[in-house]
Amino acid sequence: MEQIPFFIFAAIAVLSAIGVISVKNAVHGAFYLMITLLQVAAIFILLRSPFLAAVQVFIYVGAVMVLFLFAVMVLDIGKEELRETFNQQGVIAIPAVLVMLALIGYMIIGGKVLAPAGNLTDDVLIGNSTEVLGKELYTKYLFPFEVVSILLLIALVGAIVLVMKDRKR
Amino acid sequence: MLTLTHFLILSFLLFSIGVAGVLLRRNIIIILMSLELIFNSANIALAAFSYFLKGLNGMVFVVFNITVAAAEVAIGLAILVAVYRNRKTVNVDELGDMKG
């Protein structure tokens, strides 16, 4: 019986995601987003990927949300609260989103998976998917792994350069 | 019994909410949070395909996706701090100088 936990996690995730985009205060939005990210980690557990769940909690809930809260704190945007929350393009945006929801929902429900199934047994998926994932990451996916590490280095240097004050003036 | 469709519908609901947030909100920090929602919906879809097709490619892709999202947030918030230092606003409607 996995359905009951799935529906609980999914309902909390969707409700707090709606909370993210509808609250006025950015700090409250950050906390709602944290709830959504934790539910997504639980969904990863239901998909038998404990490594992904741990990474989700460490990186998203740990690092990314702290970065968001830090930015909100540094920028001191409390005074922005009283302004109008939504912009004026809701008349166009809401029907567009609803049409997209209907179209892709129709495709998801009517679609059929034609991709060939892989060769992993349930034993591997439930037991030690982390070990298999690590071996794949360091052998078959070594080049993307290195590229992503260079990307992280560029992001690190770029973020420092962007927020550094110009010393010449 | 949970099927692939359950996870895809959840993923797509989160994706739509993220798109609605990007389109509707004015606060640029909330827009970045909505982008995180979109990233997460893609991660759910990839992990679900990985599990139901019994392959590892989706899970590897989720790991890379989370890394790229972390880099994106770092750069995005750095740009936000730089913009706020110059313009003293986080309202995207007032940041339309590059509009043609």
Side-chain angles (χ1 to χ4, degrees):
Chain A
M1 283 307 285
E2 291 175 331
Q3 276 153 312
I4 297 167
F6 172 79
F7 283 118
I8 293 171
F9 297 145
I12 297 175
V14 170
L15 287 179
S16 47
I18 292 172
V20 172
I21 66 163
S22 56
V23 292
K24 278 185 176 175
N25 193 335
V27 178
H28 297 169
F31 280 104
Y32 277 121
L33 184 60
M34 205 180 278
I35 296 171
T36 306
L37 298 179
L38 283 171
Q39 305 311 311
V40 173
I43 296 286
F44 283 151
I45 295 280
L46 282 182
L47 287 168
R48 310 290 190 281
S49 319
F51 177 71
L52 293 185
V55 165
Q56 172 91 8
V57 171
F58 287 160
I59 294 184
Y60 269 114
V61 185
V64 170
M65 292 319 298
V66 168
L67 206 58
F68 268 117
L69 288 172
F70 193 71
V72 172
M73 188 185 75
V74 164
L75 297 185
D76 186 27
I77 53 170
K79 58 182 178 293
E80 302 279 340
E81 280 175 40
L82 296 175
R83 300 212 190 161
E84 207 176 341
T85 310
F86 295 101
N87 58 24
Q88 308 299 320
Q89 55 198 17
V91 186
I92 310 166
I94 291 174
V97 170
L98 287 178
V99 167
M100 187 180 76
L101 193 72
L103 274 179
I104 303 189
Y106 171 72
M107 286 198 283
I108 286 173
I109 290 170
K112 211 188 290 177
V113 178
L114 293 175
N119 49 8
L120 286 188
T121 55
D122 281 342
D123 218 25
V124 174
L125 278 174
I126 295 170
N128 53 1
S129 67
T130 306
E131 186 187 335
V132 183
L133 184 66
K135 279 180 182 163
E136 287 275 299
L137 205 57
Y138 283 106
T139 53
K140 193 176 164 189
Y141 296 96
L142 188 61
F143 181 65
F145 188 77
E146 299 291 337
V147 171
V148 156
S149 67
I150 293 173
L151 176 75
L152 274 182
L153 180 68
I154 295 170
L156 179 71
V157 176
I160 293 172
V161 169
L162 275 172
V163 296
M164 201 161 54
K165 277 185 183 157
D166 203 353
R167 280 186 220 146
K168 286 169 195 163
R169 272 176 275 164
Chain B
M1 186 64 193
L2 284 175
T3 60
L4 181 59
T5 311
H6 286 85
F7 291 95
L8 287 184
I9 288 175
L10 169 64
S11 155
F12 186 61
L13 279 176
L14 287 181
F15 184 86
S16 304
I17 294 169
V19 171
V22 170
L23 290 178
L24 290 174
R25 291 304 298 262
R26 309 175 103 172
N27 190 331
I28 196 165
I29 290 183
I30 304 276
I31 290 179
L32 281 174
M33 289 180 194
S34 305
L35 284 180
E36 292 306 306
L37 276 179
I38 295 176
F39 265 109
N40 268 282
S41 74
N43 286 348
I44 292 175
L46 286 169
F49 274 114
S50 174
Y51 175 61
F52 284 101
L53 292 179
K54 299 189 188 310
L56 267 182
N57 295 353
M59 275 163 70
V60 175
F61 217 98
V62 173
V63 174
F64 289 142
N65 211 351
I66 289 176
T67 321
V68 172
E72 174 257 337
V73 158
I75 292 292
L77 288 176
I79 292 173
L80 174 60
V81 169
V83 166
Y84 187 77
R85 198 179 275 159
N86 288 327
R87 307 289 300 272
K88 300 287 177 239
T89 180
V90 289
N91 190 337
V92 288
D93 289 348
E94 297 172 14
L95 299 175
D97 287 351
M98 292 175 78
K99 192 155 63 180

